Amino acid sequence: MNLKDNVEWLLSFEQHDEPLGILTHADRRELEQRRAMQEAQIAVPNPQIETANERKTATSQEEKITHPHEEGK
Amino acid sequence: MSNRTIVELLDANTYEPVNATFIEGVSKEELVTTDRVWRTFLATILKERSGLSLNQFATWDEYCVAAYREIYQRTGTVDNLPENPHWEWQSKLQAIGDVGYVFGIEYEEQIQCLLLVRTDRTCRLTDKFGKPLVYLDYLATAPWNQPELVSPPRLRGCGKTMIRAAIQWSIDRGWEGRIGLHSLPSAENFYRDKRICGMTDLGIDENYERLRYFEMSATQARDFFERSKK
């Protein structure tokens, strides 16, 4: 793998640079998880009065939504 | 088979060059270790921001859901958190099989960035339609290199170096530097902007969660690859 002069090459970007963190990719499952996670966050009206058991149940339900099986990908 | 070469990156604090190791063919053991190390680091940040500890939950995924929810309720946003905390690299490579290949950048005995590419996709650009390309399936930097998580991050340039490596790998395979990827909305400008990647925007892919699909032609790859000579 020829990656010579990489710093010189990287610095040529600095003028138009953007955060490295944007360089992520996602497939259908990843996005569905993300969206379901955000929806679940919005759907919880008042977590301060949530009991431990309710929290556990809610988390379990979210798991079904946000973490489907890896198979079928 | 794993090949290792030296590659220079930038220390994000000093902007001084540092010598890292570029790995072609990250091993299964290295991926397992990286998953563990990255998660441990991220768990520290999530605990700081959410007040929740990993050991309160049965699984990592449960912890992430709860911590993200708590942070959202505290701050009103999770935009500055990774979108991929649940990724398990070893599983992803295993699921793809023989057409998958993982590149890594190692520095100070830790993996700083990972890229999973696959070789079973073909060009959608008209003039090279059906020709093979390197498809960038997953790309992620270590949490300590993400400026939205850690300020300042440890290293700069990991992600761009990975794209450069994917282009070089495509060239080495006789595919003229052609690469393709689906972009998250927040990254579209990075891939489209002619001053940065300059890839061709082929529009929303209705069959891929309505993500925009981008391709880099041989000419665009040459421009991207040789930009420092201009």
Side-chain angles (χ1 to χ4, degrees):
Chain A
M1 182 70 72
N2 178 8
L3 295 171
K4 291 180 179 175
D5 303 322
N6 198 51
V7 161
E8 180 186 357
W9 178 78
L10 285 172
L11 289 172
S12 70
F13 284 98
E14 287 300 301
Q15 186 179 354
H16 310 294
D17 205 6
E18 295 193 19
L20 297 175
I22 67 171
L23 296 175
T24 56
H25 301 259
D27 63 9
R28 177 184 299 274
R29 175 175 169 271
E30 318 294 351
L31 276 184
E32 285 175 350
Q33 287 179 337
R34 175 74 169 176
R35 288 172 183 173
M37 190 182 293
Q38 289 181 332
E39 287 170 6
Q41 291 164 342
I42 293 167
V44 178
N46 190 343
Q48 281 75 25
I49 61 172
E50 226 183 358
T51 66
N53 283 338
E54 285 169 342
R55 184 184 294 274
K56 186 176 179 181
T57 302
T59 303
S60 299
Q61 291 300 313
E62 285 169 22
E63 280 300 294
K64 294 177 183 175
I65 299 170
T66 60
H67 295 91
H69 295 295
E70 288 278 0
E71 291 78 19
K73 179 169 176 285
Chain B
M1 190 66 182
S2 176
N3 293 320
R4 292 166 186 257
T5 53
I6 299 297
V7 63
E8 283 189 330
L9 295 173
L10 286 167
D11 184 307
N13 293 285
T14 64
Y15 264 60
E16 292 295 320
V18 298
N19 279 336
T21 302
F22 188 86
I23 307 169
E24 294 179 66
V26 179
S27 71
K28 174 184 172 183
E29 292 74 21
E30 287 172 316
L31 292 177
V32 171
T33 300
T34 300
D35 279 330
R36 177 173 50 77
V37 171
W38 286 12
R39 286 183 175 190
T40 300
F41 187 91
L42 183 58
T44 303
I45 293 175
L46 292 179
K47 184 178 180 181
E48 287 174 2
R49 298 186 182 182
S50 71
L52 300 175
S53 298
L54 175 58
N55 58 17
Q56 296 175 254
F57 298 86
T59 68
W60 170 254
D61 286 354
E62 284 183 18
Y63 175 57
C64 286
V65 170
Y68 274 50
R69 185 205 294 119
E70 184 65 27
I71 292 169
Y72 180 82
Q73 288 163 352
R74 288 184 177 196
T75 67
T77 181
V78 290
D79 288 345
N80 55 356
L81 296 175
E83 295 183 83
N84 54 0
H86 55 285
W87 284 8
E88 287 185 346
W89 286 88
Q90 190 268 326
S91 313
K92 292 192 176 303
L93 178 61
Q94 192 169 5
I96 291 176
D98 292 342
V99 298
Y101 206 72
V102 179
F103 299 136
I105 293 174
E106 186 183 61
Y107 178 64
E108 293 183 337
E109 300 182 349
Q110 288 182 323
I111 296 291
Q112 306 290 326
C113 187
L114 287 171
L115 168 64
L116 173 54
V117 299
R118 55 192 304 161
T119 57
D120 58 345
R121 302 286 172 87
T122 56
C123 282
R124 302 183 189 183
L125 285 169
T126 307
D127 61 336
K128 294 292 182 182
F129 189 82
K131 295 282 188 182
L133 56 64
V134 172
Y135 180 79
L136 283 65
D137 212 0
Y138 295 95
L139 171 60
T141 57
W144 53 80
N145 290 327
Q146 298 181 29
E148 65 270 29
L149 284 179
V150 178
S151 181
R154 193 176 301 173
L155 294 177
R156 289 186 66 86
C158 294
K160 289 190 185 73
T161 299
M162 282 300 193
I163 293 179
R164 184 184 178 192
I167 294 169
Q168 182 63 56
W169 204 59
S170 172
I171 292 170
D172 292 347
R173 299 174 73 85
W175 296 353
E176 303 178 308
R178 295 186 300 267
I179 64 171
L181 58 90
H182 287 85
S183 173
L184 290 175
S186 61
E188 288 174 358
N189 191 55
F190 175 85
Y191 295 118
R192 186 190 298 113
D193 193 328
K194 288 182 168 46
R195 298 167 301 180
I196 311 176
C197 290
M199 299 174 77
T200 299
D201 180 354
L202 293 174
I204 298 288
D205 188 340
E206 297 291 347
N207 298 315
Y208 206 91
E209 197 58 29
R210 294 189 54 75
L211 288 175
R212 283 191 179 275
Y213 177 72
F214 290 85
E215 268 189 22
M216 185 174 280
S217 68
T219 302
Q220 291 164 338
R222 196 158 43 245
D223 288 346
F224 180 77
F225 201 74
E226 298 183 350
R227 67 165 42 245
S228 64
K229 297 175 183 173
K230 294 181 178 176

